Amino acid sequence: MKVLVIGGSRFIGRHLVAKLLEVGHQVTLLNRGLTNPQLFTNLERITFDRRGGQKSKLNISGSWDGAIDLSAYFPADVQNILSLLTGRIDRYILCSTTAVYPGIGDTSIKTLPTLHEDLPTVSCSKDQADDTSKATYGRRKAQCERVALNQKNIPVVIIRPGFVYGAFDPTDRFAYWIWRVMSNAPFVLPDEGSLIVRKTYAPDLAATFITALQRPNVLGKIYNVAETSLLSMRQTLQILGDHLKSKPLDRSTSANSDFLLANGIKPETDIAFWMPHTHFIPDVSKAVNDLEFVETPVEKAYSQAADYFISLNRKVDFGMSADIELKLLNMLT
């Protein structure tokens, strides 16, 4: 198949492009050409800044069996690219997020329901649609979905990953916990590590995009994509500890969500994968049934992610400072 990848050179895209090439697809990249330009130099590349006011200057002459959009963060991104690609692609696959569900990031909510694809998504005002802050990310992505689904020219598939991790991850969220497992220092563990957080391994997500390119029964549908295992953070740390020959739980000190919030600790800024009080469980049964989604065994996925981070030979660049964590530990003991 001929596939247009929009983005493709940073994190998820690196996994996706490598996998597409591995299974024999012909890939064209459409991006700014600024991030990791040394990658995939043998591929056809269309250089375009989708937010640079160049719409009228982009001359696309090719056609593709499908486009996978990894870099749509604003509704106008989707509107413009679909206008440019009408008549040139047979389907459009949008990488969205589970942050489109109501309650994500709301610390006043004590219990999130299991996140099914038919749940309503958050609203997005005109001002929010153009806002660049992290606070409106889920709202902008929800509106991106609506723009894609409401147009009738190009068939659409929406993929909603959870917290994505793996090699090349620029966020260091999973590395936050890898570092605590390997550092042999005491650390704070929210709610005894009892909360379940479904994560998404980047190579599994890449494979799902490729399957969605080829299945006729997925058009017009939305799919959560995350690990099928139901693992608490405690179990996640145990798996990482087994791989790294460490016993992190022996060095952990539990802090309940109310204590952490009262002391100014912010979810998804200070502690990775922490959603106060609640589990985070996207339902993945549709992806399993329609896309035959199969997770990489978590022991293998976590080990590969850990080995990659260790190979970088650097400290983690995410979360609260060591001084703040030490202050919390002193308050808890």
Side-chain angles (χ1 to χ4, degrees):
M1 298 180 72
K2 294 175 62 180
V3 183
L4 178 67
V5 176
I6 305 169
S9 61
R10 191 173 191 192
F11 173 30
I12 297 169
R14 291 177 68 170
H15 292 277
L16 173 60
V17 172
K19 188 67 174 176
L20 284 165
L21 296 173
E22 178 185 320
V23 296
H25 296 300
Q26 182 179 337
V27 179
T28 300
L29 299 178
L30 190 157
N31 57 41
R32 297 174 301 167
L34 301 178
T35 303
N36 296 317
Q38 76 281 4
L39 296 176
F40 310 123
T41 55
N42 59 323
L43 299 182
E44 180 184 5
R45 186 188 300 267
I46 301 169
T47 302
F48 177 56
D49 184 350
R50 68 194 306 170
R51 287 184 290 280
Q54 299 178 1
K55 180 181 175 182
S56 61
K57 301 178 183 178
L58 181 63
N59 180 21
I60 296 180
S61 58
S63 61
W64 298 268
D65 298 297
I68 303 172
D69 194 346
L70 303 174
S71 63
Y73 299 105
F74 298 87
D77 293 348
V78 177
Q79 185 70 56
N80 292 340
I81 204 69
L82 289 175
S83 175
L84 288 165
L85 294 177
T86 295
R88 299 195 178 278
I89 58 174
D90 293 337
R91 68 179 63 185
Y92 172 79
I93 301 175
L94 174 65
C95 182
S96 186
T97 171
T98 47
V100 300
Y101 293 110
I104 304 296
D106 185 345
T107 59
S108 69
I109 292 179
K110 301 295 185 180
T111 304
L112 281 174
T114 299
L115 302 174
H116 300 282
E117 291 92 341
D118 57 359
L119 287 173
T121 56
V122 291
S123 62
C124 182
S125 69
K126 184 176 180 181
D127 288 342
Q128 290 168 336
D130 296 324
D131 182 68
T132 58
S133 70
K134 184 179 178 181
T136 58
Y137 171 72
R139 295 184 181 279
R140 287 184 277 114
K141 279 291 200 176
Q143 190 63 20
C144 287
E145 292 186 5
R146 288 187 282 268
V147 169
L149 291 168
N150 287 340
Q151 58 83 41
K152 305 302 180 185
N153 294 322
I154 302 171
V156 171
V157 185
I158 307 292
I159 303 294
R160 294 174 179 165
F163 296 108
V164 185
Y165 72 97
F168 319 125
D169 180 4
T171 72
D172 267 5
R173 288 180 302 201
F174 198 63
Y176 174 94
W177 292 110
I178 296 169
W179 179 258
R180 277 151 180 77
V181 171
M182 61 186 284
S183 68
N184 291 317
F187 64 93
V188 173
L189 180 61
D191 300 302
E192 299 182 339
S194 62
L195 299 177
I196 295 169
V197 178
R198 265 188 168 160
K199 301 169 287 298
T200 306
Y201 189 41
D204 294 344
L205 179 59
T208 302
F209 282 125
I210 296 172
T211 304
L213 279 171
Q214 304 172 68
R215 296 291 174 91
N217 62 323
V218 300
L219 298 177
K221 296 183 180 180
I222 300 169
Y223 295 95
N224 295 330
V225 175
E227 59 196 15
T228 53
S229 303
L230 288 171
L231 295 176
S232 68
M233 282 309 302
R234 190 176 188 88
Q235 291 170 303
T236 296
L237 293 174
Q238 287 174 324
I239 293 169
L240 285 170
D242 289 344
H243 177 64
L244 297 174
K245 304 296 188 288
S246 174
K247 295 184 177 181
L249 297 176
D250 292 347
R251 295 180 279 103
S252 68
T253 297
S254 179
N256 66 50
S257 287
D258 289 330
F259 168 85
L260 292 169
L261 292 171
N263 283 279
I265 304 304
K266 298 180 287 296
E268 273 312 291
T269 299
D270 292 325
I271 299 178
F273 305 145
W274 169 48
M275 304 192 72
H277 310 293
T278 186
H279 302 300
F280 174 74
I281 306 177
D283 177 64
V284 294
S285 57
K286 277 182 65 177
V288 171
N289 292 334
D290 289 4
L291 296 167
E292 298 182 8
F293 174 77
V294 178
E295 69 174 18
T296 299
V298 290
E299 294 82 2
K300 179 179 180 180
Y302 292 2
S303 296
Q304 290 177 339
D307 290 345
Y308 172 78
F309 176 70
I310 291 168
S311 75
L312 300 178
N313 193 29
R314 64 169 175 81
K315 292 183 177 181
V316 67
D317 186 20
F318 182 97
M320 69 180 107
S321 68
D323 288 344
I324 291 175
E325 188 157 22
L326 180 59
K327 180 180 177 180
L328 292 174
L329 289 167
N330 288 336
M331 294 171 68
L332 290 164
T333 56

